[in-house]
Amino acid sequence: MLFVLPISISSSLKAADATYRHVVLFKFIDFASPEQIEGVESAFRALPAKIDTIQALEWGINVSPENLNDGFTHCFFVTFKDKTGLDVYLPHTAHKEFLTTLRGIVDKVLVIDYLATH
């Protein structure tokens, strides 16, 4: 049986003004070296200094005992003030340069963007 719950965005929360979250998960290829993975970690951590629309960056490596991560090991959680911040980030030269660090060592990427509600 499928349950569907109606969800509505409060009229006080407008998409243009809402805090945006950009969640990125990586699954590395089996033979990616620790040095290559550390290179990706370092390059992602460097983005806030290069892209001023990033308000915050959090990241970590999966430690869940549930074994439901489907091989994804790394989570990066990026916060933007609003959609404009995300729109600046995605085509930014520094972001595009970062993406080159993933070539040949990332098996899968999962990205979810959402409006933060409190």
Side-chain angles (χ1 to χ4, degrees):
M1 178 178 279
L2 176 65
F3 293 97
V4 178
L5 299 175
I7 299 174
S8 64
I9 296 178
S10 165
S11 60
S12 64
L13 179 62
K14 297 177 183 169
D17 300 327
T19 300
Y20 266 66
R21 304 280 196 238
H22 179 69
V23 182
V24 182
L25 304 174
F26 292 128
K27 177 181 179 183
F28 291 94
I29 58 175
D30 291 337
F31 53 88
S33 72
E35 294 80 17
Q36 289 173 310
I37 294 171
E38 288 171 13
V40 170
E41 295 167 353
S42 295
F44 211 134
R45 288 193 321 263
L47 289 177
K50 299 175 180 181
I51 305 173
D52 64 2
T53 61
I54 297 174
Q55 288 191 317
L57 171 67
E58 234 179 79
W59 75 281
I61 299 172
N62 180 48
V63 294
S64 175
E66 296 177 288
N67 198 27
L68 297 174
N69 60 309
D70 197 26
F72 289 91
T73 57
H74 286 64
C75 178
F76 293 86
F77 187 88
V78 187
T79 301
F80 300 95
K81 177 183 174 191
D82 52 26
K83 185 173 183 320
T84 302
L86 179 64
D87 291 342
V88 168
Y89 167 82
L90 292 173
H92 195 283
T93 303
H95 180 245
K96 288 182 177 183
E97 288 173 2
F98 163 73
L99 294 176
T100 66
T101 68
L102 306 177
R103 289 190 192 136
I105 62 168
V106 170
D107 181 29
K108 291 184 182 179
V109 178
L110 175 66
V111 176
I112 297 175
D113 296 330
Y114 68 93
L115 299 172
T117 58
H118 305 280

